[in-house]
């Protein structure tokens, strides 16, 4: 048994990184405010479904 999905976040101020991950097959899921000890950071949450092996 393994993972069925991968999620990652990309900082809003790094649009090239988001485009890269979208080219790698990740899809936009949500815009999120990441609360940090020194402030807040806007991030995009991306996800990619993993293919499941065929049942044997």
């Amino acid at each position: 048994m393994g993972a069925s999905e991968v999620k990652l976040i990309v900082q809003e101020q790094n649009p090239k990184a988001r485009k890269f991950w979208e080219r790698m097959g990740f899809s936009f899921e949500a815009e999120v405010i990441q609360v940090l000890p020194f402030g807040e950071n806007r991030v995009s949450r991306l996800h990619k479904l993993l293919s499941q092996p065929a049942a044997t």
Side-chain angles (χ1 to χ4, degrees):
M1 182 173 241
S4 61
E5 181 177 32
V6 176
K7 292 188 179 194
L8 59 86
I9 59 172
V10 178
Q11 294 180 351
E12 182 180 74
Q13 65 266 31
N14 194 353
K16 288 182 180 181
R18 180 172 167 182
K19 288 180 183 180
F20 168 81
W21 288 113
E22 288 175 339
R23 283 194 312 270
M24 297 297 111
F26 283 77
S27 299
F28 176 78
E29 188 173 275
E31 186 174 294
V32 180
I33 303 295
Q34 183 182 40
V35 179
L36 304 168
F38 52 85
E40 295 181 345
N41 190 25
R42 282 178 124 45
V43 297
S44 295
R45 187 169 60 217
L46 306 174
H47 74 279
K48 181 176 182 179
L49 297 176
L50 301 175
S51 58
Q52 298 297 313
T56 55

